[in-house]
Amino acid sequence: MPQVSASTLVTIGKSIFVAAGAPDDIAHDVANSLVETNLSGHDSHGIIRVMLYVDMIRNRDLLPSARPQLRQGSGAIASLDCRRGFGQIGAQVGTAMAAELAHEHGIGCVALENVNHVGRLGEYAESLARKRMVGIVLTSGTVVRVSVAPWGGREPLMSTNPMAWALPAGTGDTPFVLDYATAVVANGKVQVALSEGRAFPEGMLLDRDGNPTTDPASFLNGGMLLPFGTYKGHGLSLMMELIPGILCGFSPVSSTRFRSGNPTLILALNIEAFAEPELFREQTQEFLERIKAVAPADGFDEVLLPGEKEQRSKAERSRTGIPLPRIVWNELCDLAAAYGVDVPEDPVAA
Ligand code: NAD
């Protein structure tokens, strides 16, 4: 498997986006967001998405030079028209806007309309936590396919509906971050399992007839994912389908009115408007340390906190490079060649 450095992947991704019509700054910010996602270990939402986004640009589903515009705002809330540009840009601008609103009002809430795929939600929640806020990001919709069956059912009627939560902890610059789909996993993880030739764990996938399967290929053939956590995740999944979807001007994915996209609601709570920020950080840190100190149960090496896997992955991959399945690396190089983009010599690529 080629191991490619983050900087090489950003350069390739950025150059492809520029060649496909994106301005320099947008191309860089989107490529960087994708590669940060690889660094955090979520390859399903990383550089592999360049191929999808370029297809969307070619179909005019994604307008690479579009920049978000405020559609309406009142008090602590705003609706941002992302104008079918890159979702990452809409979400980055929306996050900055939510932080400004929260500075002024104690709370800020921004709804992203006409927004494309936003990628890894943790990025936005985390950036609010770095500003000493609680960040909550709720997303529904899809640019790929309707893929999640309700608990107890055998027909996909929902999206993977992810959410991210982040808050400042301790004295360092590393927030406490929870970031996942309310489906058992993100859609893209099935693709990644396929490209790596791996079967899926039991209890996650149904085939097109609603029978349990571990074969990721059956997902491409009309199969579906389940919500996480049986009926509890199912309930959350339903709420997530409705709240960001409708508040952002979209409809549930099962509706004939649904348009492709990733409706996203960004919520910022300014801690100092509610509590003493140092006490908040201190208590959060103490609590997390108590959780980490719990003796592991049989079959576990340690109690892991949300966010720890991503931090460890980032530390390792920043050092060793990002392992890309050969098929993904080849597709990326082919796309680069089609746009006349040089693939730089990379000391880590093998
Ligand atoms: P996942 O199932 O890998 O779960 C990730 C979360 O669980 C992280 O917070 C991680 O730290 C935590 N975690 C993992 N193992 C743990 C353990 N053993 N103990 C404690 N915590 C643990 O993630 P996913 O649902 O496949 O989502 C992956 C990424 O895809 C996320 O970044 C998400 O935002 C993104 N996503 C985006 C969309 C979209 O439409 N834009 C859709 C789905 C997912």
Side-chain angles (χ1 to χ4, degrees), residues 41-74:
H42 292 289
D43 296 326
S44 56
H45 286 65
I47 199 75
I48 194 172
R49 297 278 167 161
V50 172
M51 277 64 87
L52 172 71
Y53 294 171
V54 166
D55 275 348
M56 291 171 66
I57 292 171
R58 287 173 176 155
N59 296 333
R60 300 204 45 79
D61 291 327
L62 195 168
L63 308 177
S65 59
R67 293 181 193 272
Q69 277 176 359
L70 182 66
R71 191 181 64 74
Q72 65 173 25
S74 164

Side-chain angles (χ1 to χ4, degrees), residues 105-172:
H105 301 283
I107 184 166
C109 183
V110 176
L112 305 184
E113 301 181 349
N114 293 314
V115 58
N116 265 312
H117 190 247
V118 298
R120 183 179 80 94
L121 274 61
E123 173 186 337
Y124 317 114
E126 218 173 295
S127 100
L128 290 168
R130 290 217 162 82
K131 295 181 169 134
R132 302 160 71 93
M133 295 184 182
V134 174
I136 302 172
V137 182
L138 310 177
T139 296
S140 60
T142 179
V143 295
V144 187
R145 57 169 285 204
V146 180
S147 55
V148 183
W151 175 245
R154 53 171 79 207
E155 183 188 351
L157 281 193
M158 294 178 295
S159 284
T160 53
N161 296 348
M163 56 186 184
W165 303 65
L167 35 95
T171 51

Side-chain angles (χ1 to χ4, degrees), residues 290-325:
R290 280 199 298 276
I291 297 288
K292 277 301 290 177
V294 168
D298 280 349
F300 290 82
D301 296 329
E302 62 177 324
V303 174
L304 267 179
L305 294 172
E308 277 194 290
K309 275 192 167 176
E310 287 75 7
Q311 285 163 25
R312 290 176 189 177
S313 167
K314 185 164 180 173
E316 186 183 332
R317 289 181 168 197
S318 301
R319 213 181 52 251
T320 61
I322 294 163
L324 287 182

